[in-house]
Amino acid sequence: MAKSGTAQAPLTPAVLHILLALATAERHGYGIMKQVKADSQGNVKMGPGTLYGSIARMTKAGLVRESGKRVDPEMDDERRIYYRLTGKGQRALEAELERYRGVVAVAEGRFAHGT
Amino acid sequence: VWWRLRKVDLRMAPRLTGRRYWKWYATLLRLYPRAFREEFSEGMTQTFHDLDQEREQAGRSLFGFLLWAFCEAFAGIVKEHMTHMPQLGKMVLRVALGALAALMGPLVASQFVEGWNWPAGAFVRVYVLFFATGMAFVLIARRMGVWSYKAGAGLALLAGLGLAWSTMVQTADSEHPERLWYLSVLVVGLLGAMLARLRAEGLAITLFAMAAVLVLIAAVLPSGGPPDMARNMAIGHGVYAALFTTSGLLFRHAMRGRTSRSPSAQ
């Protein structure tokens, strides 16, 4: 979810990581946490409170949505609630990544030319 | 809500037998706002259980995990309530937390200063005083966006708080109940503010009147102590009178600033 309420504004680190985690697959809460931890090389560790607080705001903003309950074949036989990215969430992620690319391009140019 | 939580309890109970802390976590989740709890408590409980399994397999400390998970959930509860609260509720919560932070001063100091033995009731009264002062500032200051109005209100309330505090302390510590007369300064302030309906012009007059009443009381009441004590009291009176006067001047500045921008104001 964008800080200012628009999809173009920078996303919070938690929201960006959740969007990234859901970019390629539907995941349940624990699955999202594991993916975020792996994506950030262990630097971002969110607990259930942070994760579901972010999911609540992202659901309200239309970035993610619940995609039903099912068993995770890699875990026990408990049915878990899965989440997936919406079209708006996909666009917000792409816009954010584009923003990051722009920042990196500016930084690289600056360091290359020393200006 | 209760039935839904019970359903979660019953469904997950078999694999969590004997884990009392899971029940504590489920109980903590009941403190979330209802809408949030209904939608996410099941997922949060599942995730908590999964994290606990991971911890167990990795051989990590149970205490550390519980401390982290419970603190994290508690922070989430506060955040969600703040999100769902109306503006006034948020403001009250902020003032309450600010008053609590201010109370830490006397609370910590009482542990180190010899002879500072307040009973629990005194701390409660001081907290109420801090909270009331904070709420009064927030409610008064938002009536006008001019800096001098806010500064005048803040200064007047701080001086009033100081006067109320020192009067209470002196009355409690000495045998001079006549010093309760100082509270009449605050009564003048309260009545004046009500009559002025918190308008800058009326508040300026009120603050000047408070300063005048304080000087009058100081002149009429005997100090009842040795000369050095009388001198200290005179200095104290001077400081409070100066604070009330400065506050009155700030309100007058606010009134002039507003009048110069908008002739129809006030």
Side-chain angles (χ1 to χ4, degrees):
Chain A
M1 191 181 63
K3 269 180 180 171
S4 67
T6 63
Q8 285 73 35
L11 304 173
T12 64
V15 169
L16 175 62
H17 277 290
I18 294 169
L19 288 177
L20 265 177
L22 294 174
T24 51
E26 296 181 1
R27 295 181 201 278
H28 49 74
Y30 179 61
I32 296 172
M33 276 185 185
K34 280 204 304 183
Q35 192 59 49
V36 168
K37 198 174 170 186
D39 289 345
S40 65
Q41 282 115 38
N43 289 321
V44 177
K45 190 185 176 192
M46 55 176 79
T50 309
L51 173 70
Y52 284 92
S54 299
I55 287 178
R57 280 176 274 282
M58 292 165 79
T59 306
K60 199 174 172 187
L63 301 180
V64 297
R65 68 177 219 197
E66 201 177 306
S67 62
K69 277 185 187 177
R70 56 181 182 272
V71 172
D72 184 342
E74 293 178 5
M75 297 182 74
D76 54 26
D77 58 352
E78 185 69 32
R79 277 156 53 86
R80 288 174 169 75
I81 302 165
Y82 277 71
Y83 295 92
R84 72 177 182 82
L85 220 56
T86 61
K88 189 178 177 184
Q90 185 70 44
R91 287 193 295 277
L93 177 61
E94 283 163 8
E96 186 70 357
L97 295 179
E98 193 55 42
R99 200 179 68 81
Y100 271 76
R101 281 186 208 105
V103 172
V104 170
V106 169
E108 282 179 348
R110 187 150 299 167
F111 287 124
H113 301 295
T115 54
Chain B
V1 175
W2 177 84
W3 175 243
R4 188 163 175 165
L5 285 167
R6 286 288 301 163
K7 281 200 293 184
V8 176
D9 283 0
L10 293 171
R11 190 169 49 251
M12 299 186 72
R15 64 194 181 112
L16 293 160
T17 309
R19 301 211 169 160
R20 190 177 293 167
Y21 52 86
W22 175 81
K23 286 184 181 171
W24 296 343
Y25 191 76
T27 305
L28 184 65
L29 295 190
R30 291 179 197 184
L31 297 177
Y32 269 99
R34 179 185 284 188
F36 185 95
R37 195 171 61 211
E38 286 180 349
E39 196 168 353
F40 298 110
S41 67
E42 187 183 340
M44 288 182 78
T45 313
Q46 283 175 335
T47 308
F48 176 78
H49 171 71
D50 291 335
L51 288 167
D52 187 36
Q53 295 282 90
E54 182 189 286
R55 173 204 64 78
E56 205 168 73
Q57 284 161 14
R60 288 198 297 269
S61 147
L62 173 64
F63 178 76
F65 167 70
L66 290 182
L67 188 68
W68 168 72
F70 278 71
C71 287
E72 205 260 353
F74 187 74
I77 287 163
V78 173
K79 191 173 179 183
E80 291 307 321
H81 276 288
M82 293 280 283
T83 307
H84 290 90
M85 260 185 200
Q87 202 59 32
L88 185 66
K90 282 183 190 175
M91 191 177 72
V92 171
L93 184 67
R94 282 191 194 118
V95 172
L97 291 174
L100 196 63
L103 187 68
M104 288 299 118
L107 199 64
V108 172
S110 66
Q111 305 300 312
F112 299 102
V113 178
E114 203 172 327
W116 193 332
N117 301 314
W118 282 4
F123 285 104
V124 172
R125 284 195 291 276
V126 169
Y127 178 79
V128 170
L129 203 60
F130 284 165
F131 179 75
T133 307
M135 279 306 297
F137 174 73
V138 169
L139 292 173
I140 295 170
R142 71 176 186 170
R143 286 183 62 91
M144 204 169 167
V146 185
W147 72 267
S148 45
Y149 184 90
K150 291 180 191 293
L155 195 60
L157 286 166
L158 272 178
L161 175 72
L163 187 64
W165 180 305
S166 56
T167 303
M168 282 197 308
V169 169
Q170 284 193 14
T171 312
D173 290 352
S174 67
E175 294 172 352
H176 296 286
E178 70 274 11
R179 285 182 186 161
L180 283 172
W181 273 105
Y182 288 108
L183 293 181
S184 60
V185 176
L186 303 178
V187 174
V188 167
L190 202 65
L191 288 174
M194 283 166 65
L195 288 172
R197 293 183 185 176
L198 300 178
R199 282 193 293 256
E201 187 179 8
L203 286 175
I205 295 167
T206 301
L207 266 298
F208 294 143
M210 286 171 79
V213 171
L214 180 64
V215 171
L216 187 68
I217 291 172
V220 171
L221 273 186
S223 67
D228 57 333
M229 188 180 168
R231 192 191 61 220
N232 288 343
M233 282 184 71
I235 292 171
H237 292 141
V239 169
Y240 279 121
L243 288 173
F244 288 133
T245 308
T246 309
S247 175
L249 290 172
L250 283 165
F251 280 123
R252 183 173 276 186
H253 182 275
M255 176 189 78
R256 284 179 183 156
R258 186 163 179 175
T259 309
S260 66
R261 277 199 297 277
S262 164
S264 61
Q266 298 286 316

